[in-house]
Amino acid sequence: MAPKIGITSDLHETRHRVGAAYANAVLKGGGTPIILPPLIGEESKYISICDGFVFSGGDDPNMERWGVSTHPSATVVNKQRQDFELTLLEKLQTLPEIPVLGVCLGMQWMGLIAGGTLDQDLSSPIAENHADTEHAIEGTIGSGIVHSHHHQAMTTSGNLLVAARADDGMIEAIQDESRNWYVGVQWHPERTTDEVLGQGLFDQLVAAAQSGVTT
């Protein structure tokens, strides 16, 4: 039986939406993609249904939750989405067997709840290296060229391991090696052509989820 992988979605006006590339990558990796609308109170039900999760990219976190003022340059993520995704991710902290992939905003959620810190407005020339472009990364997770599109980034990773950095030193990947599979990447693997750092991450997620699936 193919593992079911929940993919978080954005709430934009009257629509739930997420890039089709996420579902396509999960499907290519052997999983069954399930798009999750950010419905408050449904987090536990989603956990009971899904074998793994992708926290997709999006707008910027509202930082008041962590006692920090949100930067004026931020495009703040929908409050319902933030509340839902943080609740879902916090519930998953007690379930280390369930694999999680955080992408861009998803990685930032992972880093923030782990006690990390966020640079809310990257300065030049680093900003240009991450603004909808490709750049090199290197680390234990792999090395190669990835596609990024962000203006914020983690400056510390809290209790998570830094698994990769960009060629300018920026943290690009974090992980918890004590769990089944728990990885956050600042780049967009669904848009990255590198076999390991793109589709390979979805393949690993699905494989980790498969270990918990009963036929």
Side-chain angles (χ1 to χ4, degrees):
M1 183 181 296
K4 297 180 287 295
I5 306 298
I7 304 170
T8 63
S9 64
D10 204 2
L11 179 58
H12 180 73
E13 297 178 350
T14 60
R15 297 176 184 271
H16 295 126
R17 65 183 189 183
V18 65
Y22 289 100
N24 291 336
V26 167
L27 186 65
K28 185 176 180 180
T32 298
I34 300 177
I35 307 302
L36 305 177
L39 301 176
I40 304 296
E42 296 299 299
E43 298 89 354
S44 294
K45 185 179 295 183
Y46 291 160
I47 289 172
S48 71
I49 293 170
C50 298
D51 304 301
F53 290 88
V54 176
F55 285 77
S56 62
D59 291 327
D60 304 320
N62 183 316
M63 292 300 296
E64 275 69 18
R65 179 185 178 105
W66 292 277
V68 178
S69 296
T70 301
H71 196 280
S73 69
T75 300
V76 179
V77 70
N78 177 275
K79 182 181 185 301
Q80 181 173 322
R81 179 183 180 184
Q82 173 160 329
D83 291 345
F84 163 80
E85 293 198 9
L86 289 176
T87 298
L88 177 60
L89 190 58
E90 286 166 349
K91 286 180 178 293
L92 288 168
Q93 300 311 298
T94 65
L95 300 165
E97 71 279 9
I98 298 180
V100 177
L101 171 62
V103 175
C104 199
L105 173 63
M107 169 185 157
Q108 293 169 9
W109 294 146
M110 296 164 90
L112 287 167
I113 70 167
T117 53
L118 183 71
D119 184 338
Q120 297 187 64
D121 191 35
L122 298 177
S123 57
S124 295
I126 290 177
E128 287 72 25
N129 198 32
H130 298 267
D132 203 11
T133 186
E134 294 185 334
H135 63 268
I137 68 102
E138 183 174 357
T140 57
I141 197 172
S143 301
I145 304 299
V146 299
H147 185 97
S148 288
H149 181 48
H150 62 98
H151 75 107
Q152 300 188 341
M154 302 305 300
T155 51
T156 63
S157 61
N159 59 25
L160 298 177
L161 174 71
V162 174
R165 290 184 181 272
D167 49 8
D168 55 23
M170 187 65 61
I171 294 175
E172 282 282 326
I174 53 180
Q175 67 181 129
D176 185 344
E177 294 183 306
S178 71
R179 300 171 61 103
N180 177 10
W181 199 86
Y182 190 83
V183 175
V185 296
Q186 188 60 68
W187 69 86
H188 282 266
E190 79 283 5
R191 303 180 201 168
T192 293
T193 57
D194 184 281
E195 185 175 342
V196 173
L197 301 174
Q199 180 61 41
L201 292 176
F202 292 95
D203 295 347
Q204 291 176 43
L205 171 71
V206 172
Q210 184 70 61
S211 66
V213 175
T214 56
T215 56

